[in-house]
Amino acid sequence: MISQPTFVAIIVAGGRGLRAGLPIPKQFATLGNRAVLRWSVDAFAAYPACERIIVVAPDEDAGFALAEQICAGSGALVIRGGIERIDSVKAGMAAAGDATVILIHDAARPGLEGCQIDHLLAAFRDPDIAGVVPVLPVADTLARIEGGYVSGDIDRSGAVRVQTPQAFRHAALLAAHASWNGPATDDASMVRANGGIIAIVEGHRRLNKITKEGDLEAMQSILAGGLPQWRTAIGNGYDVHRLIPGEGLWLGGHFINHDRRLEGHSDADVLLHAITDAVLGAIGAGDIGQHFPPSDERWRGASSDAFLAHACTLASKRGAVIDHVDTTVICEAPKIGPHREMIRASIAAIMGVAIDQVSVKATTTEKLGFTGREEGIAAMASVSLMLPRHRAQGD
Ligand code: MG
């Protein structure tokens, strides 16, 4: 048995860049938990015979930067492309080294799977072929249009839809590009025009290209099996700090003038501490004392928004999306009502969520207990968030 050839993958993600006023190019749109482009990068990265992944990005700075950001940590090499597709493929080939087989793939076809690469590579057991492409039959009747009216039929016998990735012997691809003049949309036509035999393998609807409105939603349902299942996680937090004589206190990152202050190692923002614990609880990451021990001098007088921001960063690194935050402040004084909206805005800003995702309530304990005697303030918080049930590959 002939062993499988190793190959270099060139993903063409150039095309229209990020010019102002236009919608985001489809290859950069979000599909499930990743950008459309990243789906193909991850599929190649998971394939053992793939030696190198070259992503040919738009030439202009914004598009190039976005492609780099999307590919971060994948091991793919991101380079600048040209105006036409053929220029981008040439740029990719120049970075491909001495690979024996090159796979050229459109970034706007995110449904690539390893089994499709298997079929393409297996075709090279035939020494006579220069390349191989995935094709699907044309099911609909084809017609020619002139002046807005049907002017004739097109014979569909023998017609197929050609998809990507298209795989080529490197030498045949180089020769075809070297001898080609003029525009081209398809590398297989160039190799064939140069005398190369192009084999076919069966395509798949997963390899359909995302081009128009609605395609993203259609692909989302095709890929549904590969998307993460989300689960809702809830965390709660509770904190108390002592009231002592002083001038004002921090509550939810908002300063309130008062004839007392809260005592603590940090700024003693009892409400932010409760929310921080709720976020940590929802992701199962311990409690605020573990992350910011009171014994650590670094946190003396610290502003508590740093604690909450840290917990939110931990959550987002795990793929969490914060859904809602509900809080209750328990005290006789100061009155929370006049400060409620500013406290909500402050918490929302620290957590990077909208104000309507944050609720701030207050209650007294009818002068009972330590809060009733105004010896301290207590705060409770609940946070709900969405977590991916299965971590996606490459995360
Ligand atoms: Mg505390």
Side-chain angles (χ1 to χ4, degrees), residues 27 34-43 69-74 394:
Q27 68 269 29
R34 313 167 239 192
V36 167
L37 163 62
R38 183 69 189 236
W39 281 85
S40 296
V41 170
D42 288 345
Q69 187 190 325
I70 288 169
C71 297
S74 68

Side-chain angles (χ1 to χ4, degrees), residues 239-241 266 268-270 273-274 288:
D239 196 29
V240 171
H241 279 265
S266 64
D269 190 325
V270 64
H273 293 184
I288 190 171

Side-chain angles (χ1 to χ4, degrees), residues 359-371:
S359 150
V360 173
K361 313 190 300 301
T363 189
T364 71
T365 47
E366 301 288 337
K367 305 221 180 276
L368 296 169
F370 71 87
T371 53

Side-chain angles (χ1 to χ4, degrees), residues 346-360:
S346 164
I347 294 168
I350 297 166
M351 300 184 76
V353 298
I355 289 180
D356 63 8
Q357 290 173 277
V358 178
S359 150
V360 173

